[in-house]
Amino acid sequence: MAHADEAALFNKDESKVDWHDKALWFVRQKRDKSAHKVKGWETLRDLASAIKANVMSNLDNYLVQFEENAQKNGVTVHWAADAEEHNKIVHSILQQTNVKKVVKSKSMLTEECHLNPYLEANGIEVVDTDLGERIVQLAKEVPSHIVLPAIHKTKEEVDVLFQKHLGTKPSNGDPQYLTNEARKHLRDKFLKADAAITGVNFAVADTGGIVVCTNEGNADMGAHLAKVHIACMGMEKLIPQEKHLGIFLRLLARSATGQPITTYSSHFNKPAPGTEMHIVIVDNGRTEQLNREDFRASLHCIRCGACMNTCPIYRRSGGHSYKATIPGPIGSILSPGKDLTKHSDLPFASTLCGSCSDVCPVKINIHEQLYKWRQVIVKDVPQPVVKKTVLKIAGRVLANSKMYGFAGKSARFILKHAPRFVTYSKFNAWGEARDLPEVKDDNFDTWYKKRQKHE
Amino acid sequence: MSRASILNAVKKNKPDLLPLPEIDLDVFSENIDLVKTFIGNVEFVGGRAIQLGSVENIDSEIKNLYPNATKIVSCTRDSNLGTISISKNTNPHGLETIDLAIVKGELAVAENGAVWISENDLTIRVLPFITNDLILIVNKEDIHLHMHSAYKAISKRDRTFGLFLSGPSKTADIEQCLVIGAQGAISLTVLIV
């Protein structure tokens, strides 16, 4: 199903869509307030953008430097070309260490690689420990937002879900009670886990360390209790030096939720005595994206989700409508690079208003890339006949001033005199939920000429 | 292992080298009351910060704040309230029933209410997460304006494990309602001496 059809489904529950829209816009406003408090915010964004551009232009050397330093610290580094190899590597580490129970903190990369189903098929229990991720895991869904995974769920839905899976009492969706029950449930999982899998927010080339950010403390509860810690990272997570964390950590949480920093920003350099630490560096299409001049800046993304919170399309269509691991504006420029045909509708799921680019902490030109993907897609992917024909005719009309004038005149005449059921037929998508503006007699051109005459 | 093929592909596909930008920290400098700003930000992130007259007042303040805590781990000489002693060999799972942990932070950051603590200050890494309540003690001279200054101060450390900790564990994953006390400590008090 195309994005627009999925969005139409999401829009069936009007009050839920309104809530979703407002909740995300509220997060966007918190981001604004938080950003405006920082002296030199725009400088931070410029620096972050330039640092990431430098990383991309020197990525191979930084990767080698990072690997060397991590190895010196006693960390084992693995390389995976694609999702399949990533999953196999993680599984083989778990096999070698005889692990049966795994706790996992939020990692969009492992979602991208579909690690959970792979491990489960191999008889390993994987428990997502971020509350939002645990909710969607119990519901057998995928996250609909990269920072707020269960933003599409009402508290009543969570209540029912927890009653079924955690044996909670009906509470009309009391968030305090439900969170507390989840805390007890997850404590038990943390204490029994043999291994912890985490994502990586930043990997530092000059120290070989990684930084993992959470608000709940779930990544640390997992990593410090289990004897094996596996951190999975996309290769673009690298930054050159530790001091650059100062820039990125100032930007990340403020852009994501409006917090000045996440509750926990944990710096892992060496494994604790008696434990193992592994880092899996994953390509999975990233080197290809690096080769695309117009789109390589999409790899600068630090996964804050600000572009989703501000996007008028995302807010009203929900994350699941994108049918991609990373939804929203940034996902719509990353996904076509992975599978152009499957995701060819996503760059069109945008008004090109540019709000995503305005809030992006690393200044990715998201809306320009959306526009550029459209150019690629109409050339490479067969378009629907109706759309193609309409655009061809429109192209001809717009290129010819006489035809354009005639078409405008006819349209104004028809809109004025045709009965309502004709004007608001199913071909008029705009008119589905609102009236067209009042139709004037003249277009701008004739109005202007008349005005000139009178002066 | 796909190491070689990945590195070769990167080498082939990357753009020409772009320079690392110079960072001019003057842009971020501000003449503000660091203690006041820090306290305000700790409160903003759901914690509590209290400025004490002297180190001697620490224990009476903690007793006052947490009268019911019995299983207490103190990792600092500044407090004598510890009832359970831990060492590097303590099994982290055994800390599950701890009521209160008292830890000396190395430095704090005014702009975001964060305190830097490292493995040396914690003895056991999981301590500040697994404890029910957490107290961090920081010297007021160790409060930095921003993260750039904080990173400069910790640049010479022995890198094992460390973290910036700002506020108690929290989540808003159920309908965006903020709930304090997710998987980590359910309350945080910072004592400034």
Side-chain angles (χ1 to χ4, degrees):
Chain A
M1 234 189 329
H3 174 269
D5 301 320
E6 295 280 352
L9 284 182
F10 186 71
N11 273 269
K12 280 196 171 148
D13 188 344
E14 207 175 309
S15 63
K16 196 170 170 178
V17 174
D18 284 348
W19 181 85
H20 188 266
D21 178 22
K22 284 193 188 109
L24 288 166
W25 185 249
F26 182 62
V27 181
R28 156 73 209 261
Q29 287 174 316
K30 285 199 287 188
R31 172 258 173 217
D32 288 352
K33 257 189 224 157
S34 188
H36 295 157
K37 273 193 224 157
V38 176
K39 187 166 175 267
W41 177 258
E42 289 305 315
T43 308
L44 284 174
R45 290 178 73 216
D46 286 333
L47 286 168
S49 176
I51 292 168
K52 279 287 182 179
N54 164 268
V55 169
M56 295 309 146
S57 74
N58 195 31
L59 189 57
D60 49 340
N61 294 320
Y62 286 138
L63 283 166
V64 171
Q65 189 191 3
F66 172 74
E67 181 192 37
E68 273 173 22
N69 286 324
Q71 284 169 343
K72 268 185 226 159
N73 291 334
V75 177
T76 312
V77 179
H78 310 259
W79 301 73
D82 52 25
E84 198 192 341
E85 192 177 8
H86 163 265
N87 294 347
K88 278 186 183 158
I89 289 170
V90 173
H91 182 228
S92 75
I93 300 168
L94 298 177
Q95 268 183 322
Q96 280 159 27
T97 44
N98 202 18
V99 168
K100 289 275 173 270
K101 289 172 191 260
V102 174
V103 284
K104 185 161 82 72
S105 69
K106 196 152 52 184
S107 145
M108 295 318 294
L109 178 75
T110 59
E111 295 284 342
E112 174 188 322
C113 295
H114 305 290
L115 177 67
N116 287 16
Y118 182 89
L119 294 181
E120 281 157 6
N122 282 288
I124 291 167
E125 180 195 86
V126 190
V127 174
D128 281 319
T129 56
D130 172 83
L131 178 58
E133 285 218 311
R134 187 64 182 144
I135 291 168
V136 295
Q137 187 184 35
L138 291 174
K140 298 197 165 47
E141 294 177 6
V142 292
S144 70
H145 188 292
I146 60 173
V147 174
L148 322 162
I151 186 79
H152 61 287
K153 285 236 170 293
T154 63
K155 56 185 194 294
E156 289 80 12
E157 288 170 324
V158 177
D159 198 336
V160 172
L161 201 61
F162 279 16
Q163 285 177 46
K164 189 177 160 203
H165 295 277
L166 310 188
T168 55
K169 290 178 289 196
S171 71
N172 288 321
D174 177 0
Q176 182 79 49
Y177 168 73
L178 294 170
T179 303
N180 202 27
E181 290 300 307
R183 176 182 164 94
K184 288 186 218 158
H185 160 73
L186 289 168
R187 279 262 153 160
D188 182 55
K189 298 291 180 190
F190 286 126
L191 289 165
K192 289 180 180 154
D194 312 302
I197 298 175
T198 68
V200 170
N201 288 92
F202 303 99
V204 184
D206 78 344
T207 66
I210 57 163
V211 175
V212 181
C213 303
T214 74
N215 280 322
E216 298 183 11
N218 56 315
D220 289 277
M221 281 295 284
H224 304 313
L225 285 172
K227 58 185 191 294
V228 182
H229 173 194
I230 306 172
C232 303
M233 59 175 270
M235 57 200 285
E236 80 282 16
K237 294 286 168 186
L238 232 49
I239 59 170
Q241 298 159 21
E242 191 181 69
K243 70 171 183 188
H244 296 140
L245 286 170
I247 291 160
F248 288 101
L249 289 185
R250 295 188 79 187
L251 289 164
L252 179 62
R254 288 185 172 98
S255 300
T257 60
Q259 294 169 253
I261 188 169
T262 49
T263 303
Y264 306 104
S265 309
S266 295
H267 297 51
F268 295 86
N269 285 85
K270 284 182 189 158
T275 70
E276 281 181 33
M277 186 172 159
H278 298 260
I279 295 174
V280 189
I281 300 172
V282 183
D283 180 344
N284 204 32
R286 286 162 177 77
T287 47
E288 268 177 78
Q289 192 81 335
L290 186 65
N291 192 31
R292 299 183 180 108
E293 194 183 344
D294 286 343
F295 304 112
R296 71 167 59 105
S298 62
L299 296 171
H300 296 188
C301 176
I302 57 170
R303 305 285 190 267
C304 69
C307 60
M308 294 165 204
N309 305 338
T310 199
C311 179
I313 304 293
Y314 177 89
R315 283 188 276 120
R316 292 175 184 83
S317 63
H320 287 158
S321 64
Y322 292 80
K323 293 275 171 230
T325 305
I326 311 276
I330 181 67
S332 299
I333 60 173
L334 288 168
S335 305
K338 299 221 151 156
D339 186 338
L340 189 64
T341 313
K342 185 183 169 204
H343 299 296
S344 66
D345 55 333
L346 294 187
F348 295 92
S350 162
T351 62
L352 299 184
C353 69
S355 184
C356 45
S357 308
D358 288 342
V359 296
C360 178
V362 289
K363 293 186 102 166
I364 302 171
N365 58 338
I366 303 175
H367 72 295
E368 288 169 13
Q369 292 192 36
L370 285 165
Y371 177 69
K372 281 178 179 161
W373 270 121
R374 293 183 183 187
Q375 317 294 305
V376 176
I377 285 160
V378 291
K379 276 196 202 112
D380 293 2
V381 181
Q383 295 296 299
V385 180
V386 175
K387 184 176 175 181
K388 228 162 75 179
T389 321
V390 168
L391 285 175
K392 208 169 251 175
I393 296 169
R396 246 180 245 158
V397 172
L398 290 170
N400 181 319
S401 67
K402 267 193 190 142
M403 263 165 82
Y404 176 69
F406 177 70
K409 227 176 228 171
S410 318
R412 283 193 296 280
F413 182 82
I414 293 167
L415 286 176
K416 214 164 184 182
H417 299 290
R420 194 178 162 86
F421 74 88
V422 175
T423 317
Y424 289 89
S425 69
K426 65 175 179 159
F427 297 106
N428 179 5
W430 173 272
E432 263 175 38
R434 64 207 136 177
D435 279 347
L436 292 165
E438 188 200 338
V439 180
K440 302 282 182 194
D441 290 328
D442 298 330
N443 66 358
F444 177 77
D445 191 43
T446 27
W447 171 84
Y448 187 74
K449 278 178 186 149
K450 269 188 198 166
R451 188 172 165 275
Q452 291 289 82
K453 253 187 224 164
H454 287 298
E455 270 178 10
Chain B
M1 281 278 269
S2 299
R3 183 181 185 277
S5 62
I6 292 171
L7 288 173
N8 282 335
V10 172
K11 202 165 286 180
K12 205 178 98 212
N13 294 349
K14 68 179 180 177
D16 292 339
L17 186 67
L18 292 160
L20 253 188
E22 293 290 323
I23 303 168
D24 173 14
L25 290 183
D26 291 347
V27 181
F28 309 116
S29 72
E30 276 176 283
N31 197 4
I32 52 170
D33 185 332
L34 294 178
V35 176
K36 212 174 113 192
T37 310
F38 175 72
I39 292 175
N41 278 320
V42 172
E43 282 164 5
F44 180 70
V45 297
R48 168 171 57 185
I50 301 165
Q51 196 172 359
L52 297 178
S54 80
V55 182
E56 282 78 58
N57 301 343
I58 287 177
D59 281 354
S60 60
E61 186 68 37
I62 295 176
K63 267 194 233 162
N64 192 25
L65 292 170
Y66 295 98
N68 301 321
T70 53
K71 294 184 175 174
I72 302 174
V73 173
S74 169
C75 297
T76 165
R77 272 182 227 148
D78 292 347
S79 170
N80 298 312
L81 294 177
T83 57
I84 292 172
S85 66
I86 58 169
S87 75
K88 289 218 178 299
N89 301 318
T90 303
N91 175 10
H93 291 78
L95 301 177
E96 205 249 320
T97 54
I98 294 295
D99 297 321
L100 182 66
I102 304 164
V103 177
K104 182 77 186 270
E106 289 172 32
L107 59 84
V109 189
E111 66 153 314
N112 55 26
V115 177
W116 172 262
I117 44 183
S118 75
E119 188 160 17
N120 287 339
D121 314 311
L122 297 168
T123 316
I124 297 289
R125 292 184 185 189
V126 82
L127 182 66
F129 308 98
I130 203 167
T131 179
N132 202 65
D133 297 286
L134 178 63
I135 290 187
L136 296 176
I137 301 168
V138 288
N139 295 338
K140 62 173 181 295
E141 304 79 45
D142 295 332
I143 301 177
H144 291 248
L145 173 62
H146 48 45
M147 291 295 280
H148 314 290
S149 166
Y151 272 109
K152 207 174 266 177
I154 59 171
S155 64
K156 300 275 187 284
R157 75 187 189 281
D158 174 27
R159 289 183 175 80
T160 55
F161 171 76
L163 78 152
F164 285 103
L165 193 159
S166 167
S169 151
K170 53 182 142 335
T171 180
D173 275 341
I174 299 174
E175 268 198 19
Q176 284 297 290
C177 303
L178 179 70
V179 178
I180 305 281
Q183 325 318 339
I186 62 170
S187 84
L188 170 75
T189 306
V190 184
L191 302 178
I192 304 161
V193 290

